[in-house]
Amino acid sequence: MFNVAVFVSGRGSNLRSLFEKVRKDQINICAVISDKKNCGAVEFAQQNSITVFFVDSNVESYSLLIKELLKLSIDLIVLAGFLKKIPDELVDAFENKIINIHPALLPSFGGKGMYGMNVHKAVFESSAKWSGATVHFVNKIYDEGLIIAQRVVDISNVSSPDEIAQKVLNVEHELLPFVVQKISESKVVLKNNRVYVVD
Ligand code: GAR
C-alpha cells in the first residue's frame, strides 16, 4: 500500500475528490492533519474513519507529528488547502515527498498571502485570460518547488473572481488525484531539475 497523509485547513473538497478518485487497492489515505479544529475537511475525515491529527504552529507540535507520520510509514504528504507554512523540519524529514495544490498557474500568483480567494482576486484584477491549477513539490520557499503538473482553464469571459474559483476548483479535483496516482506508481520522475509525468 502507498500511504498518504493529507494536510487541510478548510472545506475539504480536494480531500474528498482524492478519497473518491484514487485507487483504493493501491492508495491508503491514512491520516488527515489540520490546523483547524472545526472545518469541512476534518468532518469528512471523521465520517470516513481517517485518523485526524491537529497541529499548531509551535515546534514541538510538528516534532511530534513527524514521529507519528514516520510511525505510519507515510509515503507522500499532500497539502490540499493547508494554509500554514510547512516548517523546514518537516520538509527535511520528507524530502521530495510533499506536494501542494495551488489554485493558479505558478510561478505566477504564488507566494506568501496568495491562497484561496486572494489568488482568484489577483488573477481577475490582472485581466489574465487563462488560469488553472498547479501541483508542485514543496520546498522551503512558498510555492517555489518544482512544478509536477498543471491544468489550464479559459477565463477570458468570466465576470468575477468567484467564477474563476469555480472553474479552477473543477480542474483541481481532476489534477490532484491524477498526480497522486502517478506518484504512487513511480511515474513521476525528477531529471535535470525538471519533473516528468510518464505513462
Ligand atoms: C483549493 O482551491 C486549493 O487550491 C487552495 O485552497 C483551496 C482549498 O479548497 N490552496 C491554496 O490556496 C494554497 N496556496 P478545499 O478545502 O475545498 O480543498
Side-chain angles (χ1 to χ4, degrees):
M1 268 294 185
F2 187 81
N3 293 328
V4 176
V6 183
F7 281 51
V8 296
S9 298
R11 169 182 59 184
S13 70
N14 277 290
L15 169 64
R16 177 186 292 272
S17 77
L18 199 56
F19 185 80
E20 287 170 355
K21 290 178 185 161
V22 292
R23 286 195 53 176
K24 295 243 179 359
D25 57 331
Q26 295 175 348
I27 295 172
N28 181 24
I29 298 178
C30 46
V32 162
I33 294 85
S34 177
D35 62 323
K36 298 258 163 57
K37 289 269 179 217
N38 299 306
C39 64
V42 166
E43 225 171 87
F44 178 82
Q46 286 164 344
Q47 280 161 5
N48 289 280
S49 309
I50 305 170
T51 307
V52 180
F53 297 99
F54 293 103
V55 275
D56 54 45
S57 31
N58 69 49
V59 181
E60 285 143 52
S61 167
Y62 276 96
S63 298
L64 286 172
L65 177 66
I66 290 170
K67 284 193 187 125
E68 294 295 337
L69 296 176
L70 292 173
K71 257 195 251 166
L72 289 170
S73 303
I74 293 298
D75 297 296
L76 181 71
I77 291 175
V78 177
L79 311 185
F82 186 68
L83 302 182
K84 291 274 157 57
K85 179 139 182 347
I86 292 294
D88 290 356
E89 191 191 355
L90 186 61
V91 177
D92 287 334
F94 288 87
E95 201 187 351
N96 289 333
K97 287 186 179 171
I98 309 178
I99 63 171
N100 176 48
I101 183 143
H102 184 78
L105 296 173
L106 292 174
S108 297
F109 304 108
K112 197 168 190 299
M114 286 301 240
Y115 58 85
M117 281 312 292
N118 295 351
V119 177
H120 303 301
K121 280 184 193 138
V123 171
F124 184 76
E125 280 159 20
S126 76
S127 192
K129 305 302 171 210
W130 299 93
S131 191
T134 302
V135 176
H136 63 95
F137 284 113
V138 171
N139 64 13
K140 292 176 183 170
I141 308 167
Y142 261 119
D143 297 330
E144 286 202 6
L146 290 179
I147 293 171
I148 301 168
Q150 296 182 304
R151 291 285 181 278
V152 172
V153 293
D154 182 352
I155 54 165
S156 46
N157 292 323
V158 298
S159 50
S160 68
D162 282 336
E163 230 181 292
I164 300 176
Q166 193 50 57
K167 280 180 171 243
V168 171
L169 195 63
N170 290 343
V171 295
E172 288 185 48
H173 292 166
E174 297 305 318
L175 184 63
L176 190 59
F178 167 79
V179 171
V180 171
Q181 188 70 48
K182 286 286 188 186
I183 292 177
S184 76
E185 294 166 1
S186 304
K187 288 179 175 167
V188 170
V189 182
L190 266 151
K191 200 173 148 194
N192 300 331
N193 215 35
R194 281 186 73 82
V195 182
Y196 297 87
V197 180
V198 298
D199 288 331

